[in-house]
Amino acid sequence: MHRESAVSRPSSGLGGRALIPMALLAAACGPGVESNEAPTDRDPLDFQAVSLLGDSLTRSMLDSGSWPLQDSLLLEARALLGESPEDPVALVWVGRRLGYLGRYDEAIESFSEGVRRFPEDARFLRHRGHRRITVRDFPGAVDDLSAAWELVEGEPDQVEPDGLPNALGIPTSTLHSNIRYHLGLAHYLLADWDRAREAYQSDVDAAVNPDMLVASSYWLYLILRRLGEDAAAGTLLDTIDADMEIIENTAYHRLLLLFKGDLSEEDLLGTGGEATLQGTTTAYGVGTWHLLQGRPQRAGEIFQAIVSERSQWPAFGYVAAEAELARGTS
């Protein structure tokens, strides 16, 4: 998501560490790439992580339209940090911009610097936890996000700005919601369903807009079904309808409508097409829907199709499909 040890402290509330071997082979991570040149498949410094299936994961290529913009935004963030080296916000943005360029090892290093320099600022732990999920270090992500929650629990929440504004220019998440959301995801990927449920239930309860509600309700529904709590899962779907005004999380919204019976698999997957973040999210949700409906062979086919499209390996749907295949749940 090379790595410095995760913050380890007693956990309470939404926290708790799950102890399993880390998928990340830290020793294999080389030094961070120092240039801002676009990566190539032959660059040995592209290595970022080892997948849950044992494959080497390298920096994903951004499309030709996205890379120049993200690269210029990274240069801008570094310039601002140079002007204000004691400003934690400037340092947060350097790490975030590195992550958007697929330079996850460097992003984690940047956030680790922030953890050292600004230990009471939960944003560094929040973002490092996110990127540790990306590189398959789920226990490290749980440590970071649990520690971040301890710092913010009971404190006023704050809107978290988007890396690139959505179509309406309205951020749809907050610092607290992103900590809970990513903590729940880390537990989910570890198959720690009870702790994942706790985090996502808290996020659903605290949701202040439809985008936040559908994102957390999606994962909570899958968890409730895995726990055999079908009645609670059905009650959760009662809060979802087709007329919700969704800005960003349309894939989660449509998947919930699939679970509810208002959309079909064909409505969501159609006849296929180019792999995208939204497409990977949708495919994993459909695959898990088949799994929960007692169709493991079809689920396995979809999960295999997801991981065959290596360019999408940082996407949460891809990571979750990997976890399903690694656990042999399909």
Side-chain angles (χ1 to χ4, degrees):
M1 243 213 205
H2 106 214
R3 42 150 286 186
E4 175 182 281
S5 299
V7 174
S8 180
R9 56 177 84 176
S11 55
S12 62
L14 295 173
R17 180 175 183 176
L19 299 175
I20 67 166
M22 293 184 298
L24 177 65
L25 301 182
C29 291
V33 178
E34 293 300 328
S35 73
N36 286 342
E37 296 179 359
T40 68
D41 291 338
R42 293 170 294 183
D43 187 342
L45 300 183
D46 281 350
F47 177 86
Q48 296 293 312
V50 175
S51 81
L52 303 178
L53 303 175
D55 300 316
S56 294
L57 301 174
T58 59
R59 259 199 287 161
S60 298
M61 296 290 288
L62 297 178
D63 64 66
S64 58
S66 299
W67 183 84
L69 173 59
Q70 290 293 355
D71 187 60
S72 67
L73 290 171
L74 172 59
L75 293 174
E76 179 181 314
R78 282 180 160 161
L80 291 173
L81 180 61
E83 295 170 2
S84 305
E86 299 305 316
D87 182 0
V89 174
L91 184 55
V92 165
W93 276 107
V94 168
R96 291 185 68 177
R97 296 299 180 197
L98 286 165
Y100 299 147
L101 283 164
R103 296 161 67 166
Y104 304 116
D105 52 351
E106 294 174 90
I108 291 173
E109 290 171 2
S110 182
F111 296 135
S112 295
E113 178 185 352
V115 171
R116 291 190 297 269
R117 293 178 56 194
F118 307 101
E120 300 303 312
D121 193 325
R123 289 172 295 187
F124 294 103
L125 289 162
R126 169 266 189 269
H127 286 289
R128 190 172 70 175
H130 177 175
R131 289 310 173 195
R132 282 183 162 159
I133 292 174
T134 305
V135 300
R136 284 47 170 177
D137 177 10
F138 307 145
V142 168
D143 280 346
D144 277 355
L145 294 159
S146 297
W149 183 252
E150 288 183 12
L151 289 173
V152 303
E153 189 174 16
E155 297 296 324
D157 201 359
Q158 57 186 277
V159 172
E160 190 165 84
D162 294 324
L164 287 175
N166 57 43
L168 299 182
I170 302 173
T172 61
S173 61
T174 66
L175 176 61
H176 290 197
S177 70
N178 276 319
I179 293 171
R180 289 188 300 259
Y181 179 91
H182 291 91
L183 179 58
L185 180 61
H187 284 308
Y188 181 95
L189 294 167
L190 289 166
D192 189 344
W193 311 126
D194 289 328
R195 286 196 173 101
R197 175 186 182 174
E198 182 182 0
Y200 280 124
Q201 184 66 66
S202 296
D203 215 31
V204 166
D205 293 343
V208 296
N209 61 56
D211 276 87
M212 291 171 63
L213 179 63
V214 298
S216 294
S217 293
Y218 164 76
W219 293 105
L220 180 58
Y221 175 86
L222 297 183
I223 293 161
L224 291 170
R225 288 292 309 277
R226 287 182 185 273
L227 290 171
E229 299 186 24
D230 293 355
T235 299
L236 179 66
L237 290 180
D238 290 340
T239 66
I240 306 300
D241 62 70
D243 296 328
M244 299 173 77
E245 296 183 5
I246 306 298
I247 300 173
E248 293 181 1
N249 293 319
T250 54
Y252 289 143
H253 182 218
R254 288 170 61 79
L255 283 162
L256 288 165
L257 294 175
L258 169 72
F259 303 156
K260 195 172 182 178
D262 293 346
L263 292 177
S264 69
E265 177 179 354
E266 291 70 26
D267 290 328
L268 271 70
L269 294 185
T271 58
E274 183 180 357
T276 63
L277 175 61
Q278 290 291 307
T280 303
T281 299
T282 298
Y284 173 73
V286 172
T288 309
W289 173 70
H290 279 293
L291 184 64
L292 296 171
Q293 297 288 8
R295 296 185 287 271
Q297 182 174 349
R298 176 58 178 150
E301 291 170 355
I302 294 175
F303 297 150
Q304 288 286 358
I306 290 171
V307 301
S308 70
E309 182 50 65
R310 190 69 67 82
S311 67
Q312 293 299 308
W313 71 261
F316 290 158
Y318 188 111
V319 182
E322 263 186 23
E324 303 290 354
L325 293 171
R327 286 196 300 267
T329 54
S330 60

